[in-house]
Amino acid sequence: MHPAFSVIFLTTLIGAGQGMFLALYTGQIYSVFNLVPGQDSHTFYGYGSLLALIFLAMGLLASFFHLGHPERAWRSAAKWRTSWLSREVIVLPSFMGMTFIYGLAHFTGYNPVLFSISDVYVVDLTLLLGFLATGLAFLLFLCTAMIYACIKFLQEWATPLTVVNYTLLGLASGFTLATVFASYAGIQLVSFYAGWAITLTVIAAITRTASLLRNSRIKPKSTMTSAIGIRHTKIQQKSRGFMAGSFNTREYFHNVSAALFKSIKWIFPILVFILPVIILSSGMATNSFAIYAFAFAVQYVGLIAERWFFFAQANHPQNLYYQTI
Amino acid sequence: MKQLALVIDLNVCVGCHACVTSCKEWNTSGTAGSLSDFNPYEEDPTGTFFNRVQTFEIGEYPNTETVHFPKSCLHCEEPPCVPVCPTGASYKREEDGIVLVDYDKCIGCKYCSWACPYGARELDENQKVMKKCTLCVDRIYDETLPEAERKPACVLACPTSARLFGDVKDADSVVSETIRENGGYQLMPEWGTKPANHYLPRRKTRLTIHEDELTRVDNPLNKERQLPMPDEDEQTLDDVMSW
């Protein structure tokens, strides 16, 4: 497939935004159980939610560049019964809205205690709002990934690993972002977040490698024989029917050299997994904001390459009809 | 249940591209707007087409065969492009099974084109909406046209009648009969899309002649033929009869 940068930015930015929110909420849950020190609602959770929202909004903005008619985008909420894209269009703003409410409750300090469990663990309003937002965050990972995983003839995508990878890569980049944020706003949580970021990055490395291995062994179900229905082992296209360009020759090919394609396959795991783990580990010794920010930047650039490769690697069966001029 | 479709006979198609040009001509002149072209007379031209004729070579030289293969939207009975559409712009008509795009609802997200294994959909770069073969829905029901002309433009243009048009769900229709009797098949059956359009395979007319069919066993001329001379030492009838 032809990798569209609008979609690459959409999926990577909202992934980081979702991960950032989930990191904040993870920190809050831990603090309820007194496992990590509680943070200031206003400066930490309030501004942290804002940071997550900024990433989500940038992703949403990027998605509009993918549309031929962005002014009609509101229509895309219509077919949620059948279309994962429509579901994403509903869940993304819902999640943003819930994150906003969660952040606002923290920011304004409006946080009444709802109940307490055995007088020790206090459940307040933000914990409930965060719980709802967490559900939406995971639902959004599912919707985004299923847009790709549900197309069964794009065999590189049609696997549960697509959902697993979108979720884990979003979480990894989000927790890295949270580490950067914590080194600025909540220094006590830096090693907590960095530890989680490293753990999630390592797990994501395992599942993404699993999908790379799976995809390298894929045997295409569609062949020339099934494409034109003629039973012969030797079928060669002599003409695709036109010499000019067309949508079919642009949309389904990555249009880069095989060497560049192959090199990106090796570059993205280094940028997404290996370098961030090294930089985050070294950062834990010094707790420097700049080092963590560098780790996030490297991982984010790597994720752009990862998503580019995800699209470029998918081989659409329609390409069987467009092999030669 | 009605399902209009095309049946394309690969045995007859000569690859003249008349269906391509007549399709473009009809559909670019319609009320739904033109099928836009860019740089038509310059370097790197591009444009929107609903129908193409491709050419394939089967086998290895010298035992090769050229197959011309017209390709357009197959109007699947289970169209994978329809459920993925987030707006409902892409739909399959209940009454005749034609898969259409509502150009006023389409947001141009291209998701349906990803979800079509045949590459039958094209984004019009001018209108920024997804377009595809409509089976000339604006002409097949047009009662101002003579009944014989209420067919898709490609079908009317085909000089060899390689394209048939009709209801593939009606068992008595010409298209159903042709599919049934001439081995009509669907493209990429592995994805369960159940294309409504069918293709008819190349058919060879072979005559098998056996050795005994070349020589006539009961040839009447045999009776009048010159009989072989008997051997010199063999008794003739005269030898037997004389004493």
Side-chain angles (χ1 to χ4, degrees):
Chain A
M1 299 295 290
H2 175 72
F5 275 97
S6 49
V7 179
I8 292 174
F9 281 115
L10 162 71
T11 55
T12 51
L13 285 169
I14 64 171
Q18 286 158 267
M20 173 72 203
F21 166 78
L22 290 169
L24 286 179
Y25 191 62
T26 310
Q28 192 181 352
I29 299 251
Y30 270 64
S31 70
V32 168
F33 292 99
N34 295 320
L35 296 168
V36 296
Q39 299 297 314
D40 182 58
S41 265
H42 185 81
T43 54
F44 189 80
Y45 294 112
Y47 284 113
S49 303
L50 181 67
L51 184 62
L53 273 175
I54 289 170
F55 272 82
L56 294 166
M58 286 195 297
L60 185 61
L61 182 72
S63 74
F64 280 92
F65 288 95
H66 187 68
L67 304 181
H69 282 279
E71 77 282 4
R72 297 178 188 164
W74 59 274
R75 286 187 179 276
S76 56
K79 291 288 169 182
W80 55 272
R81 282 187 182 84
T82 59
S83 172
W84 283 104
L85 178 54
S86 189
R87 288 168 199 163
E88 187 195 35
V89 165
I90 294 169
V91 175
L92 174 56
S94 311
F95 171 62
M96 288 175 75
M98 197 48 91
T99 307
F100 177 76
I101 296 169
Y102 170 83
L104 193 69
H106 270 302
F107 191 79
T108 56
Y110 179 73
N111 195 11
V113 174
L114 299 177
F115 58 91
S116 58
I117 302 165
S118 58
D119 291 334
V120 183
Y121 306 120
V122 179
V123 177
D124 49 28
L125 180 68
T126 53
L127 209 60
L128 177 72
L129 292 172
F131 180 75
L132 295 174
T134 301
L136 288 169
F138 280 105
L139 200 58
L140 183 53
F141 278 129
L142 179 71
C143 291
T144 309
M146 280 309 289
I147 288 174
Y148 309 102
C150 76
I151 305 177
K152 54 187 171 182
F153 49 82
L154 284 167
Q155 290 171 266
E156 288 84 355
W157 294 354
T159 158
L161 278 173
T162 301
V163 180
V164 172
N165 286 328
Y166 266 74
T167 309
L168 284 171
L169 289 168
L171 284 172
S173 62
F175 273 77
T176 310
L177 181 61
T179 313
V180 182
F181 177 68
S183 71
Y184 175 76
I187 203 74
Q188 295 154 310
L189 290 187
V190 171
S191 16
F192 169 70
Y193 282 135
W196 266 113
I198 291 170
T199 312
L200 288 164
T201 303
V202 170
I203 300 172
I206 294 167
T207 58
R208 190 65 178 97
T209 308
S211 82
L212 284 177
L213 289 173
R214 172 191 178 272
N215 290 352
S216 67
R217 283 163 176 72
I218 278 183
K219 190 166 171 277
K221 272 192 196 167
S222 287
T223 58
M224 273 327 299
T225 296
S226 75
I228 65 170
I230 290 171
R231 201 166 192 82
H232 202 292
T233 48
K234 283 243 186 285
I235 301 176
Q236 212 187 353
Q237 187 170 42
K238 287 293 171 187
S239 160
R240 68 181 183 213
F242 53 97
M243 294 164 80
S246 86
F247 182 76
N248 299 79
T249 62
R250 288 189 297 269
E251 183 68 11
Y252 305 92
F253 295 94
H254 51 66
N255 290 328
V256 300
S257 67
L260 179 61
F261 176 76
K262 219 169 180 177
S263 62
I264 289 177
K265 184 180 183 175
W266 291 102
I267 289 169
F268 90 72
I270 295 171
L271 291 178
V272 178
F273 306 120
I274 300 173
L275 286 179
V277 168
I278 295 170
I279 302 170
L280 284 169
S281 313
S282 65
M284 282 169 89
T286 57
N287 272 351
S288 143
F289 173 78
I291 290 180
Y292 289 129
F294 181 58
F296 177 73
V298 168
Q299 191 168 43
Y300 186 73
V301 170
L303 276 176
I304 292 173
E306 187 274 334
R307 220 38 57 91
W308 184 93
F309 189 80
F310 172 80
F311 285 104
Q313 195 187 26
N315 187 23
H316 201 288
Q318 80 103 36
N319 291 349
L320 289 169
Y321 297 108
Y322 298 90
Q323 297 184 51
T324 187
I325 291 174
Chain B
M1 250 317 258
K2 192 176 171 188
Q3 172 68 62
L4 295 179
L6 296 171
V7 173
I8 296 165
D9 194 343
L10 299 183
N11 199 40
V12 179
C13 177
V14 292
C16 70
H17 293 247
C19 55
V20 178
T21 52
S22 66
C23 166
K24 177 84 171 177
E25 192 276 332
W26 176 263
N27 285 297
T28 204
S29 323
T31 49
S34 64
L35 298 184
S36 58
D37 289 317
F38 290 86
N39 312 323
Y41 305 109
E42 288 143 56
E43 202 184 343
D44 199 20
T46 181
T48 313
F49 281 77
F50 292 168
N51 181 32
R52 293 291 197 181
V53 177
Q54 308 189 318
T55 304
F56 294 89
E57 188 176 83
I58 317 295
E60 219 167 346
Y61 181 84
N63 298 316
T64 58
E65 193 175 349
T66 302
V67 172
H68 300 293
F69 178 82
K71 170 176 168 286
S72 57
C73 171
L74 305 171
H75 298 279
C76 300
E77 287 178 44
E78 300 286 342
C81 54
V82 168
V84 300
C85 176
T87 68
S90 189
Y91 64 105
K92 187 174 176 68
R93 280 161 50 119
E94 285 287 327
E95 62 267 37
D96 54 16
I98 301 179
V99 178
L100 287 177
V101 180
D102 185 337
Y103 300 153
D104 293 330
K105 278 189 189 168
C106 177
I107 57 170
C109 71
K110 305 184 213 168
Y111 191 27
C112 56
S113 71
W114 296 6
C116 170
Y118 309 100
R121 293 170 159 256
E122 297 190 20
L123 187 84
D124 188 303
E125 294 291 348
N126 182 38
Q127 278 177 278
K128 297 283 180 196
V129 293
M130 199 50 75
K131 293 193 173 179
K132 59 178 285 302
C133 162
T134 65
L135 272 183
C136 286
V137 71
D138 52 345
R139 92 172 273 151
I140 57 177
Y141 295 112
D142 187 349
E143 290 183 0
T144 61
L145 292 171
E147 193 155 356
E149 284 180 30
R150 291 179 211 160
K151 285 178 180 175
C154 57
V155 175
L156 293 170
C158 182
T160 59
S161 302
R163 303 173 79 95
L164 304 174
F165 169 69
D167 179 7
V168 290
K169 281 286 172 76
D170 173 7
D172 299 324
S173 67
V174 175
V175 281
S176 290
E177 196 184 297
T178 313
I179 293 167
R180 200 163 54 231
E181 293 177 0
N182 293 336
Y185 63 87
Q186 297 165 316
L187 303 184
M188 291 188 190
E190 62 271 23
W191 302 118
T193 54
K194 296 191 197 158
N197 281 13
H198 282 68
Y199 285 78
L200 303 181
R202 298 298 293 264
R203 298 182 291 284
K204 293 267 168 65
T205 310
R206 284 209 179 81
L207 189 61
T208 311
I209 300 171
H210 296 287
E211 195 61 38
D212 60 343
E213 287 170 320
L214 290 173
T215 45
R216 191 165 165 186
V217 181
D218 55 348
N219 194 338
L221 291 176
N222 281 351
K223 292 219 161 79
E224 290 163 35
R225 78 182 196 278
Q226 198 178 9
L227 294 170
M229 287 289 285
D231 286 341
E232 262 178 49
D233 52 348
E234 199 177 307
Q235 284 188 332
T236 64
L237 188 64
D238 290 348
D239 294 337
V240 177
M241 298 296 286
S242 60
W243 54 72

